């Protein structure tokens, strides 16, 4: 459980975190979203007490982080910036951390296995690839078997297998009743793993919600169906809360209000061949961008220069 | 229980009986000791310092020529001076070792892992000081003795020859070990204060080697008042600790040690203040 109360952080006259107020609950994965420079990493550093808040407070499992007798057992964190000495091996890095708490060597071996670092554990960490460095950071986060796990953009630099592994890991940790707090830029990634969502922009809280209600507000999930007989399928699918759109004569329909599973079942029952059935998450990313649009700090100008012609939102800065 | 991260499914909550881990000062010292042992750069720096200490000392004795008007033996009045002349170079290697111990954590980012494990922070500084003081005092004292004993045969029968039992010799050799260990601690404190390896080393060189030179260009009446209270060897507090005979205008060995300790304490206080107050 992480409780953040009216948290403010200023660097000079730059306000990185502006009156944040939310709680991260145990038993579920909470996604922490915001565009670049929104203040996600700063908030996470304050949770660990690495940066001192300008005002406000943050507690973990009821106490300030530094007040815990065994901090690594309360919160395991992966930070954004690398936090290792490149000259030390992964094993020795983890061992040095473990020794501060009296964590046995057995546990060091366990997290090395768990994160798939077995083969490179004795190599200098400076020679690690981005993905391996990330795995080492996650190994360090799991070392104390912590009640709360906090990861700053964990999928950064991971290969698809690694991304999948992280998703499963996070879900398992939450199922065990732990508090899991994960930052990301990608709404679509969070929609797959997170249950709760905290969205910030320019250091301010934009939304403290759940993925389900965010999706609902964003206009619900839609599913793209390509089938042999879209006209008949359309008749079969239509119902009170269901909308189906699609051009006449086209094989493609966009359905909202039904899950891909229900649509596939209906089509199978009616003997209609389905060529493609894919849930559309694009609307989520768009809803996220609409929500944080005015708060984006570092907007690329590529859109207006190239032929994509994507409409530029107004920049408040 | 701690192995269940992958295996567990469903509803069983976080293990009710958790292992009782706890951060203690002894454990932080063990951790810093493990960090010290697991970096090749610390070993190399330490070995370089040891070799300088012993090698230059023995070489000085081997090449000692009482008639020389210039060169290394020109102002050597006794065997201890020859054996400990190498302290001048060794102090740089050992001071750098100290700087790397602290500033190195900031330049690599390791400090964030370290302080996440020990968020009370001060134990980290204290443990580093303890580990580096302990290692360096052993290595440097051994180096000073080897330097002296290794040079002894070459000086045998000459006017400046001394043995371990000559008055003051043991005090000088132990003094050199203590001086170098305090310089390593000074380096660690400066490194933590400025959080940059280059900055820490510069500050160290200024304090130990440049300030005495700088004094030469100030009004000449200042030098005798200020010089003995500088930390370094050249006319400073460090020189008083390791010199066999007290030169005029310098402090006694005990007073020199007190002055050097004062420098180290002030640097440590600054380091502790910055460690506790600034974001990491
Ligand atoms: N140490 C610091 N000194 C000055 N400004 C800082 C510092 N750390 C962060 N900032 C500023 O605070 C703001 C928030 O930064 P932060 O790194 O927390 O954002 P973020 O949400 O993690 O972004 P990203 O998605 O790019 O990682 C940025 O404008 C950044 O420039
Ligand atoms: Mg960030």
């Amino acid at each position: 459980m992480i409780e953040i109360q009216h948290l403010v952080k200023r660097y000079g006259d730059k306000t990185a975190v502006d009156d944040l107020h939310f709680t991260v609950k145990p038993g579920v994965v909470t996604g922490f979203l915001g565009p670049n420079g929104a203040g996600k990493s700063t908030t996470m550093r304050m949770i660990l007490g690495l940066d001192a808040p300008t005002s406000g407070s943050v507690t973990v499992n009821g106490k300030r982080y530094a007040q815990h007798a065994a901090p690594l057992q309360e919160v395991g964190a992966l930070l954004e910036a690398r936090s290792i000495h490149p000259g030390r091996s992964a094993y020795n890095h983890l061992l040095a951390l473990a020794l501060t708490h009296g964590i046995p060597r057995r546990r060091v071996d366990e997290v090395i296995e768990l994160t798939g670092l077995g083969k490179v554990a004795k190599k200098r960490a400076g020679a690690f690839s981005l993905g391996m460095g990330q795995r080492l950071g996650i190994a360090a986060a799991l070392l104390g078997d912590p009640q709360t796990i906090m990861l700053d953009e964990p999928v950064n630099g991971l290969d698809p297998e690694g991304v999948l592994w992280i998703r499963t890991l996070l879900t398992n940790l939450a199922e065990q009743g732990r508090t899991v707090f994960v930052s990301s830029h990608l709404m679509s990634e969070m929609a797959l793993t997170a249950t709760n969502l905290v969205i910030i922009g320019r250091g301010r809280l934009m939304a403290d919600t759940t993925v389900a209600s965010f999706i609902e507000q964003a206009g619900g999930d839609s599913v793209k169906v390509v089938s042999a007989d879209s006209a008949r399928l359309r008749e079969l699918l239509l119902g009170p809360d269901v909308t189906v759109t699609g051009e006449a004569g086209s094989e493609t329909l966009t359905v909202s209000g039904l899950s891909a599973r229900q649509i596939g079942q209906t089509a199978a029952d009616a003997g209609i061949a389905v060529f493609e059935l894919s849930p559309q998450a694009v609307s989520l990313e768009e809803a996220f961008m609409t929500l944080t649009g005015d708060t984006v700090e570092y907007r690329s100008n590529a859109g207006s220069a190239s032929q994509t012609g994507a409409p530029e939102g107004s920049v408040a800065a | 229980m701690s192995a269940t991260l992958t295996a567990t499914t469903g509803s069983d909550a976080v293990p009710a009986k958790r292992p009782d881990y706890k951060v203690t000062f002894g454990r932080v010292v063990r951790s810093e000791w493990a960090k010290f042992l697991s970096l090749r750069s610390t070993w190399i720096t330490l070995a370089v310092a040891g070799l300088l200490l012993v090698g230059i000392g023995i070489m000085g004795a081997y090449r000692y020529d009482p008639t020389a008007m210039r060169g290394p033996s020109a102002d050597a009045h006794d065997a201890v001076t020859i054996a400990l002349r190498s302290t001048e170079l060794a102090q740089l290697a050992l001071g750098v070792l100290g700087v790397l111990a602290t500033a190195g954590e900031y330049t690599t980012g390791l400090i964030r892992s370290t302080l996440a494990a020990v968020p009370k922070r001060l134990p980290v500084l204290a443990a580093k000081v303890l580990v580096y003081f302990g290692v360096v005092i052993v290595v440097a004292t051994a180096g000073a003795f080897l330097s002296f004993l290794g040079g002894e045969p070459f000086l045998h029968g000459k006017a400046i020859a001394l043995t371990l039992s000559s008055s003051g010799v043991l005090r000088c050799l132990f003094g050199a070990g203590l001086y170098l260990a305090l310089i390593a601690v000074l380096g660690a404190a400066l490194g933590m204060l400025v959080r940059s390896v280059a900055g820490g080393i510069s500050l160290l060189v200024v304090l130990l080697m440049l300030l005495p030179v700088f004094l030469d260009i100030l009004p000449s009446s200042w030098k005798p008042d200020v010089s003995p209270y500088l930390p370094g060897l050249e006319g400073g507090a460090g020189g008083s600790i390791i010199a066999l005979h007290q030169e005029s205008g310098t402090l006694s060995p005990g007073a020199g040690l007190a002055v050097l300790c004062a420098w180290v304490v002030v640097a440590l206080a600054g380091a502790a203040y910055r460690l506790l107050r600034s974001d990491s």
Side-chain angles (χ1 to χ4, degrees), chain A:
Chain A
M1 173 96 94
I2 303 171
E3 284 163 294
I4 290 183
Q5 279 162 2
H6 299 293
L7 198 62
V8 177
K9 179 66 181 179
R10 289 195 198 90
Y11 295 106
D13 55 5
K14 160 106 206 161
T15 304
V17 168
D18 192 359
D19 200 27
L20 277 191
H21 198 97
F22 61 87
T23 300
V24 187
K25 294 184 193 68
V28 290
V29 177
T30 302
F32 191 29
L33 278 114
N36 289 128
K40 303 182 293 295
S41 302
T42 304
T43 304
M44 288 184 158
R45 283 200 306 275
M46 284 193 281
I47 292 172
L48 293 186
L50 291 174
D51 283 24
T54 305
S55 65
S57 76
V58 47
T59 59
V60 188
N61 305 333
K63 284 185 194 170
R64 287 215 340 266
Y65 181 76
Q67 241 112 50
H68 286 287
L72 293 185
Q73 199 170 28
E74 302 298 329
V75 185
L78 166 76
L79 294 171
E80 180 174 47
R82 271 206 187 186
S83 317
I84 50 170
H85 194 299
R88 201 170 274 123
S89 71
Y91 179 84
N92 283 325
H93 172 72
L94 295 171
L95 180 63
L97 294 179
L99 284 171
T100 58
H101 280 59
I103 298 171
R105 277 162 200 263
R106 176 168 41 80
R107 179 64 188 162
V108 174
D109 295 328
E110 264 169 29
V111 294
I112 284 175
E113 277 314 306
L114 196 61
T115 49
L117 287 172
K119 287 214 179 60
V120 294
K122 306 277 168 166
K123 292 219 178 86
R124 292 175 66 249
F128 278 19
S129 68
L130 183 57
M132 290 199 294
Q134 206 72 344
R135 283 165 187 267
L136 176 53
I138 292 165
L142 297 177
L143 193 61
D145 200 9
Q147 157 65 44
T148 298
I149 290 95
M150 180 169 82
L151 309 176
D152 200 351
E153 293 178 38
V155 299
N156 212 353
L158 288 183
D159 54 21
E161 192 209 328
V163 173
L164 199 63
W165 168 72
I166 286 275
R167 269 184 217 152
T168 321
L169 177 72
L170 295 181
T171 315
N172 284 345
L173 290 168
E175 273 173 0
Q176 291 165 11
R178 299 172 207 258
T179 307
V180 183
F181 189 45
V182 192
S183 81
S184 174
H185 304 116
L186 290 180
M187 187 67 211
S188 49
E189 174 63 31
M190 283 296 104
L192 289 172
T193 35
T195 305
N196 289 351
L197 276 184
V198 173
I199 303 177
I200 64 171
R202 286 259 187 103
R204 245 168 275 154
L205 189 66
M206 310 299 295
D208 181 358
T209 176
T210 63
V211 172
S213 64
F214 184 82
I215 289 174
E216 197 176 318
Q217 275 173 11
D221 249 339
S222 69
V223 180
K224 179 183 166 193
V225 204
V226 184
S227 65
D229 188 350
S230 56
R232 192 153 68 90
L233 185 58
R234 175 193 197 112
E235 295 304 314
L236 292 169
L237 291 176
L238 277 175
D241 290 324
V242 181
T243 57
V244 183
T245 55
E247 284 174 35
S250 154
E251 288 187 337
T252 307
L253 294 176
T254 305
V255 183
S256 52
L258 286 175
S259 70
R261 190 188 186 85
Q262 290 167 313
I263 296 166
Q265 192 61 54
T266 308
D269 291 347
I272 300 171
V274 171
F275 311 132
E276 185 184 341
L277 184 62
S278 48
Q280 303 293 293
V282 187
S283 60
L284 277 185
E285 219 63 67
E286 277 167 2
F288 171 54
M289 271 153 65
T290 314
L291 185 63
T292 58
D294 288 344
T295 67
V296 173
E297 295 223 339
Y298 310 105
R299 186 187 295 277
S300 74
N301 290 314
S304 49
S306 71
Q307 70 279 46
T308 56
E312 284 282 304
S314 60
V315 184

Side-chain angles (χ1 to χ4, degrees), chain A residues 9 49-52 65-66 69-71 73 81-84 86 88 96 99-101 107 110 114 145 173 175-176 178, chain B residues 2 4-6 10 13-14 18-19 21-23 27 31 35 38-39 108-109 112-113 116-117 119-121 279-280:
Chain A
K9 179 66 181 179
L50 291 174
D51 283 24
Y65 181 76
Q73 199 170 28
R82 271 206 187 186
S83 317
I84 50 170
R88 201 170 274 123
L99 284 171
T100 58
H101 280 59
R107 179 64 188 162
E110 264 169 29
L114 196 61
D145 200 9
L173 290 168
E175 273 173 0
Q176 291 165 11
R178 299 172 207 258
Chain B
S2 48
T4 54
L5 286 179
T6 44
V14 171
R18 309 166 71 199
Y21 302 145
K22 191 175 188 312
V23 179
R27 285 174 173 164
S31 167
K35 278 190 196 169
S38 59
L39 266 195
T108 58
R112 283 183 288 267
S113 295
K120 296 216 180 352
R121 298 190 181 193
D279 291 343
S280 303

